[in-house]
Amino acid sequence: MTIEVLKPIKKGTYNNNIANYEAVLPDFSWKEVERQFSWHRTGKVNMAYECIDRHVEDGYGEKTALHYINGKEEVKLTFAEMKEKTDLLAAALRKEGVKKGDIVFIFLPKNPECYIAMIAAVKIGAIAGPLFEAFMEEAVRDRIADCDGKYIITDAELAKRVPKNDLPSLKKILVTAEPEFCGNREISLNELLRNTRLEDQPTEWVDLEDGLNIHYTSGSTGKPKGIVHAHRAMIQQYQTGKWVLDLQENDIYWCTAHPGWVTGTVYAIFAPWLNRSTIVVNGGRFDADSWYSVIEKAGVTVWYSAPTAFRMLKAEGDDTRKKYDLTSLRHILSVGEPLNPEVIHWGINTLGVRIHDTWWMTETGAQLIVNFPSEVIKPGSMGRPFPGIEVGILSEDGVQQQAGNIGHLAIKAPWPAIMKEVWKNKEKYHSYFQFGDWYLSGDLAYQDEEGYVFFQGRSDDMINSSGERIGPFEVESKLIEHEAVAEAGVIGKPDPIRGEIVKAFIVLNKGYTDEPALIEEIRKFVRYKLSAHAAPREIEVLEELPKTKISGKILRRELKVREQGK
Ligand code: PRX
C-alpha cells in the first residue's frame, strides 16, 4: 500500500520552532527543558506563577493573556490583570479555608471566571478539578463524592446541579453572583471578593510532585476515575506548546475544548500560557458561523480542535466559510479521535493549511505522538513520538512488535507529564502497567519503518463520541435506573460526523412496550440525570441481550457485531 505524504506548507511569516525532528532527537533531554523555568534557579515551583506572574515580572504585563468572545460580548484581560484577579481570588479562597492539596472543583462555562478560578486554585497549591458544563447532578455528585471534594466554584445557573444535601465532604459552594442570586448554602463570590484584601505573598510554593489538577475520565468498566497530575507536567506542556503548537510571541491561539476535558486544561490554559501566548476563549456552543467569526474577530493564528468539529465545519459547506476572513490561520492541530485524510485535504484546499494530528490521553498529561509543522504528514497517521518519548507496539504477551504489525500502543514510563496517581485507586493505576514500565494506553496501533504511528481502534469497550470519552458502564447503570428498563448494553456505533455515537440496546420490564414516546423519555432520563454527551442517540429494544454463559456478563462485542451486520 502506498502512503500519501504531505509536505509542509510555507505560508506568510511561517517560522518553525523546531526545524528538523531528526536533528533534535540525539541531544534532546527533559533536563535541558527544565532550564526554561524560574524554579530551575530559584527552587520556587508553581504552575500558576509560570503561567501568569512570571510574565508580568518579565515586563509583559500589558500583553493580552485572554480574549473572550461570546457573540457580541468581548472581554480582554492582560497578564497584569490576570495576575491581579487570580491573586485576589487566591486570597479569598484561602480566607474560606482552602489549603494546599485540597481539591477545588470548578464548574463554570467557558468564560473568564473559569480561567481565573483555575489559576487561582493552583496558585494556592490546591488541586483544580474542572467539571464539564454539560454535567448534570449525578455526574457532579459522583466526582465530588469520589474524592471527598470540599470546595466548588460555580455560577448561579450551574449551582442548581450541585447536590446540597447528600455530600458530607462538600463544605463550601462559591457562586460567581451577587448574594441575592445565591441559593441556600451558597456563598456569593462577588461579595467575598469585595471583602478580600490582596495578600503580600499569594503564591504557595509547591513541590514538582504536588497535585495540580484532577480530571475524571471513563474506561470500559466502573465509574469515571480521578486522574491526578503534578506540577512537573509543566515541563512537557511547555515544550510541546513550543514545538507542536509552534507558539511564537505574536500568536493568537485558540483551543476549542472546555477545561473539563483534559485538552481544555492542558492545551487551552497551561501550555499556551507557559509560552506567554494570548489565548482565545469562545463562549456558547458549537456553531459554524460563530466559530468562523471567532477566528476572524480575534485573528486566530494557531488553532487546536477536534475531528468532529472539523467534519461539522466541512459539512456546513463553502458558503458559510467564505463569509469570513480566515487568512490569519497559519497552523492547525487536531486531537481526540481519528483524523480522516479527507479532513486534512479539506483543510489544505479551503484554509490553505495542513491539519496536524496529535495523540495523547488524560492519563498522559501532554502530547506524546505528534505531527510537527516542519515535517512530512502521512494522512491517517497520528505522527511520531515527541523527542524523549519511547513508543512500543506490544503483543498480548508484552513483546515488542516489528514495524507494520498491529499491537497494543504503549509508552515507556516515566515522562514529565505522566499522571501522578489515580485518586484513591492504586489498583487502577497499576492496571496500566502490566508489562513493567510500559504504560498501556488501551489503543491498538502500528508503527511504520519511519516511526509514524497509525491508530487502529481501542482494545476495550470505551466509546469515543466527538472526541469525548464515554464509559459504557456509566450509561448502562443510568439506563437501568429507569423503571421501564430491565437490562442495558451500550456500544459506540460508527458515525460519519461524530466518529461514534452512543447506542443502547435495552430489554424492557414487563408491562412496557417499545414506543417512541417511551424511548425518548428514557433518552432524556440519561441526558438530564447524567450528561447530554453520554445520552444514547439511538436506543433499540431487544427481547434479550447476548451474555457470557458463565458469568452472565453482557457481551458488548456481540452487540457491536450485530450493529455492523446491519
Ligand atoms: O483512543 C484514543 C483517543 O482518545 C483516547 C484518550 O481520550 P481522553 O483521555 O479523553 O483524551 C483525549 C484528548 C487528549 C485515546 O486513548 N485519541 C486521542 N487522540 C487521538 C485518539 N484517537 C485517534 N487519533 C488521535 N489523534
Side-chain angles (χ1 to χ4, degrees), residues 216-218 227 261-264 267 304 307 334-339 356-367 369 380-383 409 439 441-444 454-460 462-464 467-470:
Y216 274 82
T217 191
S218 304
I227 306 295
W261 306 117
V262 75
T263 307
Y267 288 103
Y304 199 7
S334 171
V335 69
E337 27 165 352
L339 179 65
H356 299 69
D357 198 8
T358 61
W359 178 91
W360 61 294
M361 305 177 68
T362 306
E363 293 87 336
T364 74
Q367 297 159 337
I369 297 171
S381 162
M382 309 190 289
L409 173 57
Y439 161 85
S441 66
D443 285 358
L444 300 169
F454 292 76
F455 178 81
Q456 299 293 297
R458 284 287 301 178
S459 65
D460 60 16
M462 197 188 83
I463 301 165
N464 188 332
E468 284 159 4
R469 202 162 142 178
I470 297 160

Side-chain angles (χ1 to χ4, degrees), residues 37 39 45-52 93 98-106 114-131 147 203-216 226-238 259 262 264-267 269-271 273-274 360 362-366 416-423:
F37 296 95
W39 47 261
V45 175
N46 191 307
M47 170 70 97
Y49 176 80
E50 299 291 334
C51 280
I52 302 292
L93 292 175
V98 182
K99 293 196 180 56
K100 182 177 162 192
D102 284 341
I103 293 177
V104 176
F105 280 105
I106 294 157
C114 177
Y115 295 76
I116 293 165
M118 289 289 293
I119 294 290
V122 170
K123 201 168 244 190
I124 57 171
I127 301 173
L131 297 175
C147 62
T203 307
E204 176 90 30
W205 301 116
V206 299
D207 191 88
L208 282 171
E209 202 51 42
D210 281 334
L212 167 69
N213 58 266
I214 183 166
H215 278 90
Y216 274 82
I227 306 295
V228 184
H229 285 286
H231 283 254
R232 61 172 152 72
M234 73 173 94
I235 300 165
Q236 194 173 346
Q237 294 170 354
Y238 165 80
V262 75
T265 289
V266 173
Y267 288 103
I269 306 178
F270 297 153
W273 275 347
L274 286 168
W360 61 294
T362 306
E363 293 87 336
T364 74
I418 189 173
M419 62 182 154
K420 167 183 157 69
E421 60 184 312
V422 181
W423 188 267

Side-chain angles (χ1 to χ4, degrees), residues 90-291:
L93 292 175
R94 258 209 200 96
K95 213 162 98 172
E96 287 302 309
V98 182
K99 293 196 180 56
K100 182 177 162 192
D102 284 341
I103 293 177
V104 176
F105 280 105
I106 294 157
F107 188 30
L108 288 168
K110 273 189 285 174
N111 60 19
E113 283 81 16
C114 177
Y115 295 76
I116 293 165
M118 289 289 293
I119 294 290
V122 170
K123 201 168 244 190
I124 57 171
I127 301 173
L131 297 175
F132 184 44
E133 59 188 312
F135 284 163
M136 302 310 276
E137 186 165 334
E138 207 111 331
V140 176
R141 178 186 289 110
D142 280 351
R143 285 156 177 82
I144 298 178
D146 181 68
C147 62
D148 298 324
K150 291 186 198 149
Y151 304 92
I152 187 164
I153 302 175
T154 185
D155 67 14
E157 196 49 40
L158 293 176
K160 294 178 191 152
R161 301 190 211 149
V162 177
K164 306 270 158 55
N165 304 320
D166 56 354
L167 280 173
S169 69
L170 189 61
K171 281 198 203 158
K172 301 210 168 152
I173 303 166
L174 304 165
V175 179
T176 58
E178 292 300 328
E180 60 267 34
F181 300 109
C182 293
N184 185 25
R185 281 204 57 200
E186 296 169 8
I187 299 167
S188 159
L189 196 54
N190 295 15
E191 186 174 55
L192 178 65
L193 289 172
R194 279 196 294 273
N195 298 331
T196 299
R197 296 180 67 186
L198 282 171
E199 293 175 350
D200 292 337
Q201 180 44 272
T203 307
E204 176 90 30
W205 301 116
V206 299
D207 191 88
L208 282 171
E209 202 51 42
D210 281 334
L212 167 69
N213 58 266
I214 183 166
H215 278 90
Y216 274 82
T217 191
S218 304
S220 56
T221 54
K223 295 216 168 179
K225 313 283 187 298
I227 306 295
V228 184
H229 285 286
H231 283 254
R232 61 172 152 72
M234 73 173 94
I235 300 165
Q236 194 173 346
Q237 294 170 354
Y238 165 80
Q239 196 63 22
T240 49
K242 186 168 166 140
W243 281 356
V244 185
L245 305 180
D246 194 39
L247 292 171
Q248 292 161 28
E249 191 58 44
N250 295 323
D251 274 320
I252 306 291
Y253 169 75
W254 182 29
C255 169
T256 55
H258 183 280
W261 306 117
V262 75
T263 307
T265 289
V266 173
Y267 288 103
I269 306 178
F270 297 153
W273 275 347
L274 286 168
N275 279 279
R276 209 200 297 136
S277 290
T278 299
I279 67 164
V280 174
V281 173
N282 68 306
R285 293 181 64 83
F286 175 86
D287 156 61
D289 270 296
S290 67
W291 273 36

